[in-house]
């Protein structure tokens, strides 16, 4: 079986204790590789290497333009290895190769885009209100960044964090999910070979409660950027707050996909399927609540059940497969558990509802109708192929149900009324609203959540600011020495 070692200070090495843990292939339901089980000592080594690289050596000495050129080269490296990286990701997390190949190839754009921004990070010269002084501002890297990623889109979510962090001049220690560590280790090594200096990007694999927690607590870490569950996000936020570390948190969702009677129903049903069954529902932006206006409710449900009912489950490497496995056994159990909960709450099962008899962890695309917003299936994140259909009468009720959630990550609105589209986009409390589309993302548009869906935004120009500190510098150009006991 293949072994994947830690990547610290430009070198691959075993964990301090020499221990390993297996990682599974979700399609087969069996382990395919061993991953080094990092310790708090490994975390300390990695953070110290990152701290050194931040202050001295080739990375610290690079001009911003050279840093940008290096980032663009990293983007080209991703492109050159997109196929291998996608295959590796599919083996480890079970997502479809057809989606992963496109996704990995696309993530090169993050390095090109933030590479382009690296030498456009500028301080300013405020028009001072005081005579005899000159002041200017600098934007400096915030410091060593801890990046903690989940298993659903390991490389994409990694790119969202490290591309702006590196553009800002930071150094990084990554703790990937224990379920999908391999691709991050391989990417770090490829980046090193492409010229990223030692210590700039380190990877410590292992479990959340030891490696993850030790990384967040490390005194030399100045910023934590996390994507994952809201429960872990809360714990990380509390821990980081003790040392006033900066945090960016991208957490869960229970996103409403809202279909009005005046919508193009074929497009809406396609969007509903894409929202909840793509990636087997294992995405933070899953459109897991389908709100349907009563006049078209039965027609929409009928078409939806027909389309989702024909979805082909199978080998995620096979280009004909549409629904792959659930990534982890725990997640598989959780999804089946929620199907039981929805049934007991009185929701009506319109499609699926069963585990599929295969080697790996498959669950049928599942649709519940007759859901009330107060039910757990309408409130809690399942993170699987389970859709809750909720009827509504009018715009006001649609907004009310949409916002009856502690989350606010994404929302879809399906309508042919342009005025209604704008009204809904204004009123819905979520970080993204898609009108007549769903699940579109780009490096250009801010991404993140309202309410319990997180803190801060990734992507777009402003994301670089999350990895920078402002500094004001004052210079006396001729102000007289004054009374030392009053503010100047
Ligand atoms: P998780 O949030 O516990 O794990 C995400 C990352 O955080 C992993 O790298 C993990 O090792 C790390 N981690 C865990 N505990 C930590 C701690 N105390 N300190 C620092 N790092 C820690 O998510 P998990 O257990 O993989 O999945 C559980 C649920 O989370 C899923 O059922 C799903 O509902 C949700 N989830 C949401 C995601 C999103 O994109 N918003 C992604 C993955 C899971
Ligand atoms: Mg795995």
């Amino acid at each position: 079986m293949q072994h994947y070692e830690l990547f610290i200070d430009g070198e691959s090495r075993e964990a301090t204790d020499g221990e390993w843990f297996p990682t599974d292939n979700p399609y087969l339901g069996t382990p395919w590789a061993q991953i080094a089980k990092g310790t708090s000592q490994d975390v300390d080594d990695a953070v110290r290497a990152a701290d050194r690289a931040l202050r001295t050596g080739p990375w610290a000495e690079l001009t911003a333009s050279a840093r940008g050129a290096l980032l663009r080269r990293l983007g080209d490296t991703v492109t050159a290895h997109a196929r291998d990286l996608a295959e590796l990701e599919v083996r480890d997390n079970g997502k479809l190769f057809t989606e992963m190949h496109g996704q990995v190839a696309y993530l090169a754009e993050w390095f090109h885009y933030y590479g382009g921004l690296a030498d456009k990070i500028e301080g300013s010269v405020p028009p001072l209100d005081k005579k005899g002084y000159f002041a200017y501002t600098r934007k400096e890297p915030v410091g060593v960044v801890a990046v903690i990623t989940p298993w659903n889109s390991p490389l994409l979510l990694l790119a969202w964090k490290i591309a702006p962090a590196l553009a800002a001049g930071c150094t990084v220690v990554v703790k990937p999910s224990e379920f999908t560590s391999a691709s991050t280790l391989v990417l770090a090594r490829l980046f090193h070979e492409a010229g990223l200096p030692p210590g700039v990007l380190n990877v410590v694999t292992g479990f959340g409660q030891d490696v993850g927690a030790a990384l967040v607590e490390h005194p030399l870490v100045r910023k934590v950027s996390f994507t994952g569950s809201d429960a872990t996000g809360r714990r990380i936020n509390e821990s980081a707050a003790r040392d006033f570390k900066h945090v960016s948190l991208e957490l869960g969702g229970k996103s409403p996909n809202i279909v009005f009677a005046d919508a193009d129903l074929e497009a809406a049903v396609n969007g509903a399927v894409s929202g909840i069954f793509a990636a087997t529902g294992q995405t933070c932006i899953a459109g897991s609540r389908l709100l349907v206006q009563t006049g078209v409710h039965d027609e929409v449900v009928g078409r939806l059940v027909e389309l989702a009912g024909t979805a082909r489950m199978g080998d995620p490497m096979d280009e004909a497969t549409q629904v792959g496995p659930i990534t982890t056994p725990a997640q598989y159990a959780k999804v089946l558990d929620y199907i039981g909960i929805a049934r007991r709450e009185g929701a009506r099962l319109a499609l699926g509802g069963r585990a599929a008899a295969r080697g790996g962890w498959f669950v049928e695309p599942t649709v519940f109708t007759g859901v009330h917003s107060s039910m757990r299936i309408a409130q809690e994140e399942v993170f699987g192929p389970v859709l809750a259909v909720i009827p509504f009468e009018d715009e006001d009720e649609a907004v009310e149900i949409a916002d009856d959630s502690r989350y606010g990550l994404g929302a879809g609105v399906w309508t042919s009324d342009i005025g209604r589209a704008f009204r809904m986009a204004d009123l819905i409390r979520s970080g993204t609203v898609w009108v007549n589309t769903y699940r579109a993302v780009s490096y250009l548009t801010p991404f993140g959540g309202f309410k319990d869906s997180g803190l801060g935004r990734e992507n777009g120009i402003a994301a670089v600011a999350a990895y920078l500190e402002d500094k004001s510098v004052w210079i006396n150009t001729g102000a007289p020495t004054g009374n030392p006991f009053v503010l100047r």
Side-chain angles (χ1 to χ4, degrees), residues 127-207:
L128 267 196
D129 58 330
K130 294 179 196 301
K131 278 204 167 18
Y133 294 101
F134 177 81
Y136 65 96
T137 71
R138 287 167 50 79
K139 291 190 181 291
E140 299 181 358
V142 69
V144 176
V145 179
V147 164
I148 300 179
T149 51
W151 41 262
N152 55 325
S153 286
L155 289 180
L156 184 79
L157 299 172
L158 177 71
W160 291 17
K161 299 175 189 317
I162 65 174
L166 296 177
C170 293
T171 57
V172 178
V173 179
V174 187
K175 208 302 278 178
S177 168
E178 52 272 36
F179 302 108
T180 54
S181 306
S183 59
T184 300
L185 287 166
V186 170
L187 190 74
R189 176 150 277 290
L190 287 172
F191 279 4
H192 181 67
E193 287 162 8
L196 197 63
V200 178
L201 177 63
N202 310 274
V203 184
V204 183
T205 49
F207 292 86

Side-chain angles (χ1 to χ4, degrees), residues 39-63:
T39 64
S40 53
Q41 179 61 54
D42 297 314
V43 168
D44 189 55
D45 291 348
V47 173
R48 286 185 191 285
D51 188 56
R52 274 195 306 277
L54 185 72
R55 290 179 292 103
T56 56
W59 180 252
E61 282 161 24
L62 273 187
T63 63

Side-chain angles (χ1 to χ4, degrees), residues 405-429:
S405 172
R406 59 192 187 87
Y407 295 113
L409 192 58
V413 177
W414 299 86
T415 179
S416 56
D417 178 338
I418 187 76
R420 167 175 281 165
F422 278 95
R423 282 194 298 278
M424 295 297 287
D426 281 358
L427 290 172
I428 293 173
R429 307 268 307 152

Side-chain angles (χ1 to χ4, degrees), residues 372-418:
H372 189 272
S373 190
S374 63
M375 292 180 183
R376 286 182 64 191
I377 197 64
Q379 291 293 332
E380 298 173 19
E381 182 177 53
V382 176
F383 220 69
V386 181
L387 181 64
V389 184
I390 308 173
F392 71 88
E393 295 292 339
D394 55 20
E395 259 180 51
D396 287 348
E397 197 188 7
V399 171
E400 191 185 311
I401 297 172
D403 280 342
D404 180 21
S405 172
R406 59 192 187 87
Y407 295 113
L409 192 58
V413 177
W414 299 86
T415 179
S416 56
D417 178 338
I418 187 76

Side-chain angles (χ1 to χ4, degrees), residues 184-370:
T184 300
L185 287 166
V186 170
L187 190 74
R189 176 150 277 290
L190 287 172
F191 279 4
H192 181 67
E193 287 162 8
L196 197 63
V200 178
L201 177 63
N202 310 274
V203 184
V204 183
T205 49
F207 292 86
Q209 65 276 16
D210 36 60
V211 172
L215 184 55
V216 174
E217 281 161 23
H218 199 292
L220 290 175
V221 166
R222 288 315 313 158
K223 155 117 197 174
V224 184
S225 183
F226 169 79
T227 298
S229 65
D230 48 308
T232 299
R234 182 171 281 112
R235 204 167 302 138
I236 286 174
N237 200 21
E238 284 167 1
S239 167
R242 281 196 288 274
D243 302 318
F244 309 105
K245 287 169 182 154
H246 298 246
V247 292
S248 300
L249 304 169
E250 203 271 277
L251 312 174
K254 193 76 198 178
S255 300
N257 213 344
I258 308 168
V259 181
F260 286 95
D262 63 19
D264 170 345
L265 294 188
E266 192 183 332
V269 168
N270 185 287
V273 167
S274 145
I276 188 64
F277 300 126
T280 319
Q282 301 172 109
T283 77
C284 49
I285 53 177
S288 51
R289 293 185 292 155
L290 186 67
L291 277 49
V292 189
Q293 200 161 18
T294 43
V296 292
H297 177 274
D298 293 353
E299 184 181 353
V300 167
V301 170
R303 288 197 197 193
L304 175 74
V305 164
E306 194 182 316
L307 183 58
T310 61
R312 276 185 298 273
M313 277 191 287
D315 184 349
M317 280 306 295
D318 183 345
E319 303 214 344
T321 299
Q322 292 164 313
V323 176
I326 304 285
T327 301
T328 80
Q331 189 61 29
Y332 174 70
K334 177 177 166 184
V335 172
L336 292 175
D337 208 33
Y338 269 104
I339 290 173
I341 289 168
R343 290 183 126 152
R344 287 194 294 283
E345 287 181 307
R348 195 177 74 77
L349 183 67
L351 180 71
R354 290 171 310 182
R358 291 172 181 273
W361 305 300
F362 284 87
V363 176
E364 292 175 344
T366 296
V367 176
F368 282 104
T369 57

